[in-house]
Amino acid sequence: MEYQTPKFFHVMQYADAADGDTIDMVSGNPDWEPPAAIREGLHEYADGDADEFQYPPSDGLQSLREEIAARRNVDAGRVIVTNGTGEANYLGMARALDSDRGNEVVLIDPVYPYYPGKASMLGGETRLVAADRDGSLDTEATCEAIGDDTALVVLNTPNNPTGAVYDLDAIEAVVETAADHDALVVVDEVYDHFDFTGDFESALTLDADNVIVTSGVSKSMAITGFRVGYAIFPPALIESAKTRHMLVNVTTSRPAQQAVYEAYRETDPDYYADARERLESRIETFTTALDAAGAEYTRPDGAFYVLARFEDFPGTMANVKTLIDEAGVAGMPGATFGTAREEWIRFALVTPRVEAAAERLVDYFAD
């Protein structure tokens, strides 16, 4: 089987090689400080006994799993600590496609491209269902797409790239329809701390045994390099997922887990509130500039991405490169995220240079 290199890397390599100064609005790396307890936890770990440098339990440090379980109101036995949310999604998707349910994977378009990539790698056949214009779930269309060949539905809320926060009733309708066809639903909630509406509700609140919820701390604690995520499985599905995790990764980095555990216990809610406030300010700055540039755009209710469409400038890979060369701003082409927003460009607002990027776009498109 052949795999394509994700387009993210192609755009970032092109931007890195550009002659002029380029503002990176491609990658989702938070640009602010992690919680202080992350550094403190690492220092404490480094001074520990040598036996603490050996393998942790494969499914994660017991203390961390219990902390996650308490925060998500589930039993710790349902939690697997993974190498980032990416592996958590892989485990959930693999569990669905391991079954005899079929091989169809229903995804919401526009879609984070690693979902269809993983589906293909696992032998699944992708079926895209367009989101509503504002990025929210088209509940009727999504439920109609689920059939007897459907093994899996993947939802992401708050959403990358649209910024939509899905209504829990809509998620429940999809979950119930999937259950009628013996299909699983993976709900990726990695951006749950970046909800600007106050309306986000976790799919874990649903009384359903066909839902796998994934999340992590890469974004919320600004530590994408630590690779600490987790998956919460229904009791009947957990053991096979643990086995796959062990065979693929053995375990997850012990010092990173220990630091995250300390950060969970020591970090005040104000840390997350400050991050949201910072992002809301950037959203305002950037969307004001898009107005001045005459662009159509999605204003995110969650996460930290903006999709924009400029008149007579479709979001092709060629035009993204033109924007890098001539405006010094790097975004992602809309076709990266499926078919529903091919004309658009996605910009990540996790850079302190949002205002400069906004000014460059206004200058470029206002001419």
Side-chain angles (χ1 to χ4, degrees), residues 172 175 203-211:
E172 184 173 27
V175 167
L204 287 170
T205 62
L206 301 175
D207 183 19
D209 60 8
N210 65 324
V211 173

Side-chain angles (χ1 to χ4, degrees), residues 81-285:
V81 179
T82 58
N83 283 283
T85 311
E87 193 215 348
N89 289 327
Y90 165 77
L91 289 179
M93 296 173 72
R95 183 63 186 85
L97 289 164
D98 272 349
S99 68
D100 296 326
R101 294 177 175 86
N103 69 341
E104 186 178 79
V105 179
V106 174
L107 303 172
I108 309 304
D109 189 3
V111 61
Y112 178 56
Y114 281 59
Y115 301 149
K118 286 182 172 69
S120 176
M121 183 175 68
L122 291 164
E125 295 289 335
T126 295
R127 181 171 183 175
L128 295 178
V129 179
D132 283 337
R133 192 65 174 175
D134 64 356
S136 60
L137 276 177
D138 183 333
T139 311
E140 183 177 352
T142 304
C143 290
E144 287 180 355
I146 299 169
D148 290 340
D149 291 331
T150 304
L152 170 68
V153 182
V154 180
L155 305 177
N156 171 214
T157 178
N159 185 263
N160 174 14
T162 68
V165 175
Y166 293 168
D167 180 78
L168 187 63
D169 289 340
I171 295 174
E172 184 173 27
V174 171
V175 167
E176 289 177 350
T177 302
D180 290 341
H181 295 276
D182 200 24
L184 297 182
V185 181
V186 170
V187 185
D188 182 349
E189 299 180 351
V190 71
Y191 296 101
D192 58 353
H193 278 287
F194 304 110
D195 165 35
F196 310 125
T197 67
D199 294 334
F200 172 81
E201 295 181 86
S202 173
L204 287 170
T205 62
L206 301 175
D207 183 19
D209 60 8
N210 65 324
V211 173
I212 299 164
V213 169
T214 64
S215 192
V217 297
S218 289
K219 312 294 187 180
S220 60
M221 292 187 183
I223 49 171
T224 56
F226 276 50
R227 311 314 302 139
V228 177
Y230 59 86
I232 300 174
F233 284 82
L237 304 180
I238 187 68
E239 291 304 322
S240 61
K242 287 181 180 180
T243 299
R244 183 180 288 268
H245 169 67
M246 183 181 295
L247 291 172
V248 171
N249 282 305
V250 181
T251 187
T252 304
S253 168
R254 188 165 194 153
Q257 289 187 69
Q258 185 62 42
V260 167
Y261 170 67
E262 298 295 340
Y264 267 137
R265 294 199 307 162
E266 301 296 332
T267 302
D268 190 274
D270 286 347
Y271 174 82
Y272 305 106
D274 288 346
R276 287 192 295 272
E277 184 176 341
R278 179 185 297 109
L279 289 170
E280 287 183 283
S281 176
R282 291 177 180 180
I283 291 167
E284 183 63 32
T285 296

Side-chain angles (χ1 to χ4, degrees), residues 23-27 29-32 278-279 282 348-355 357:
I23 299 175
D24 176 10
M25 303 190 79
V26 174
S27 57
N29 291 321
D31 61 285
W32 52 86
R278 179 185 297 109
L279 289 170
R282 291 177 180 180
L349 304 188
V350 280
T351 169
R353 302 179 70 191
V354 165
E355 186 171 358

